Amino acid sequence: MRVFVNYQTRDEPFVAQLIDRLLCEQLGESAVFRDTRSIEIGREWQTELWGSLSRCEVLLAIIGPKWDAPGPDGRRPYDNPDDFVRQEIAFCLGRNITVVPVLVGDKTERPLLRADHLPPDIAGLADRQYDRISSRRGEYDVQRVVDKVLTLLGVEARPEPVGRDGTVALVGIDRFDRTTTDDQRAAAVAEVRTAVERAALDARLDGCVIEDQLGGARVFVPATTSPVRVITRFADNLRTMLDHGGVHRVRLAVECGRLGGPGPDAADAAVRLLSQPVLDSILDQATKARVALVLSPAGYAAMVLDNPKWIDSSTYLPADDGRCWVHLPGYPAPPGLRKSPAPAEDAQPVASAAATSRSVVFNIRDSKVGDQYGGDRIEGGVHHHYGSR
């Protein structure tokens, strides 16, 4: 065991997950300990935890804005001598194991630690050289921290391909008016950011990166997690969070592909989806909708039509002459839209860029064409039907 990832579950768990994943890619899973991943079911967890801690060379203490926030009883987590985060840090400090504080957030969100504010057994944490991960450069900063840990361990990083495959979910707050003040905008963005973080955690989007963007947030989900989880559990969780605790409505654009590197960029495609004017009229009619999910034709074919067991395609309708597909979680269908008329018999099926790259053609004209459901897959001259007569 070389690296132990120490963090509060209520405080920036995504950073811990991402650091864990990147270190595992470089060192192997057996060399990195993170509680929920490393302890197998049925094992005696305290034995596993303390055994791994005693063998580690570096402890990374992930410290975000909520790390020292008082709980309902008014006590900070580490005021409790039995708090495991505190015990793990104290254990390593007492045995001269390298401890690296990783501060998450800018200086106003996450100030420097002060020794006189910490219990004596972890006061030395304030004297350790730290690194910082900002909300605006999260992915870059996380990679820098990982690179420094590898250097500390004397490990040469394995080269990575340019760009990363996965799913981009772009969340934008639906329209501010001219009377909205800067403070009101900032409060709205903070509210939505909290809802996005909680929704992603509950949807178990392991290893995702959440960054502030476009008056909302951008979530990058690695390709190890199915995009179906993003347009189902994450979208539904986000609606629930905003229903219960918020006053704002959001637009959610989801696109699969590569983030960065040569060729089409999934993040750029998501930005274009989020700015579709048709969403204005849809949300004006759907007054109780909290989330408007929009997909590209290729995304609709790959995520919705390819997964009839998990997704009811009838709740998605084409908009703007088929340039995008819209779904409102909690609604049977987006108001103001209708199914496209069946194409003429001599019309050619529309092939998406994603479909072409897989030598697969999707018919995205309609949810039902004749006796076939739209989106039938045509591969090697064989129809793969998703519906019946």
Side-chain angles (χ1 to χ4, degrees):
M1 187 62 59
R2 309 205 67 182
V3 182
F4 191 102
V5 182
N6 165 279
Y7 68 105
Q8 294 276 6
T9 54
R10 68 171 184 168
D11 180 50
E12 304 296 340
F14 306 105
V15 173
Q17 292 169 5
L18 180 58
I19 287 177
D20 172 54
R21 182 177 65 80
L22 293 178
L23 284 172
C24 286
E25 290 176 357
Q26 297 290 332
L27 301 173
E29 291 189 2
S30 62
V32 185
F33 182 92
R34 181 174 63 85
D35 51 4
T36 55
R37 177 187 59 77
S38 301
I39 302 177
E40 298 179 358
I41 59 172
R43 302 297 293 269
E44 206 289 308
W45 64 270
Q46 290 205 44
T47 300
E48 295 286 322
L49 185 150
W50 293 111
S52 298
L53 193 63
S54 65
R55 298 191 303 272
C56 79
E57 300 173 49
V58 176
L59 179 138
L60 295 179
I62 312 301
I63 302 172
K66 299 177 184 178
W67 187 79
D68 49 7
D73 60 357
R75 301 177 68 194
R76 300 168 301 184
Y78 52 72
D79 288 333
N80 179 5
D82 295 327
D83 177 65
F84 275 98
V85 170
R86 170 179 170 177
Q87 289 184 354
E88 292 161 7
I89 295 172
F91 180 93
C92 291
L93 290 175
R95 287 160 178 77
N96 291 322
I97 295 172
T98 301
V99 176
V100 179
V102 180
L103 307 184
V104 183
D106 61 30
K107 293 180 180 179
T108 58
E109 296 171 318
R110 178 60 267 170
L112 296 178
L113 298 174
R114 291 179 50 179
D116 59 343
H117 286 181
L118 299 171
D121 58 350
I122 63 170
L125 187 62
D127 299 326
R128 296 301 189 273
Q129 181 61 36
Y130 68 92
D131 208 332
R132 184 180 294 276
I133 296 173
S134 68
S135 57
R136 295 190 179 278
R137 304 197 318 163
E139 190 169 6
Y140 171 82
D141 288 345
V142 167
Q143 186 62 61
R144 187 192 66 246
V145 169
V146 169
D147 290 342
K148 288 183 177 180
V149 172
L150 295 176
T151 300
L152 194 63
L153 296 172
V155 175
E156 185 175 350
R158 302 173 187 171
E160 292 187 358
V162 177
R164 298 178 59 199
D165 291 325
T167 305
V168 174
L170 203 59
V171 182
I173 297 175
D174 182 52
R175 288 174 290 176
F176 293 110
D177 59 37
R178 294 181 179 179
T179 64
T180 304
T181 66
D182 290 341
D183 288 344
Q184 289 172 328
R185 288 175 183 268
V189 170
E191 174 192 308
V192 169
R193 171 67 182 259
T194 299
V196 168
E197 290 176 348
R198 180 65 184 276
L201 180 63
D202 290 349
R204 300 188 65 181
L205 302 184
D206 293 341
C208 73
V209 179
I210 302 177
E211 299 177 334
D212 294 332
Q213 185 167 324
L214 294 175
R218 186 181 76 177
V219 185
F220 177 76
V221 184
T224 50
T225 297
S226 169
V228 174
R229 187 180 291 269
V230 179
I231 66 172
T232 54
R233 292 184 62 178
F234 174 70
D236 288 339
N237 290 345
L238 185 57
R239 174 178 68 93
T240 300
M241 300 299 164
L242 295 175
D243 268 342
H244 289 167
V247 297
H248 299 286
R249 307 197 301 170
V250 299
R251 307 171 183 209
L252 170 61
V254 179
E255 187 67 284
C256 302
R258 173 147 293 200
L259 184 67
D265 190 292
D268 292 342
V271 170
R272 292 192 292 271
L273 285 172
L274 205 68
S275 61
Q276 291 290 332
V278 70
L279 296 178
D280 293 343
S281 61
I282 293 172
L283 286 170
D284 285 342
Q285 297 176 69
T287 57
K288 295 183 179 180
R290 287 294 187 185
V291 177
L293 169 63
V294 57
L295 305 176
S296 67
Y300 170 74
M303 286 184 271
V304 177
L305 294 178
D306 262 2
N307 295 279
K309 182 178 179 180
W310 310 109
I311 302 175
D312 180 2
S313 63
S314 68
T315 63
Y316 289 75
L317 290 178
D320 199 14
D321 294 330
R323 290 185 178 88
C324 62
W325 288 75
V326 182
H327 168 69
L328 303 181
Y331 274 66
L337 300 179
R338 60 185 180 83
K339 295 181 179 180
S340 303
E345 292 184 0
D346 59 349
Q348 296 296 317
V350 179
S352 69
T356 302
S357 66
R358 300 194 305 265
S359 299
V360 177
V361 178
F362 290 93
N363 178 344
I364 59 173
R365 296 287 186 102
D366 196 5
S367 60
K368 191 172 186 300
V369 180
D371 63 353
Q372 300 175 7
Y373 280 87
D376 284 358
R377 190 159 47 125
I378 305 172
E379 188 172 20
V382 178
H383 270 77
H384 299 272
H385 297 291
Y386 292 107
S388 60
R389 293 175 182 269

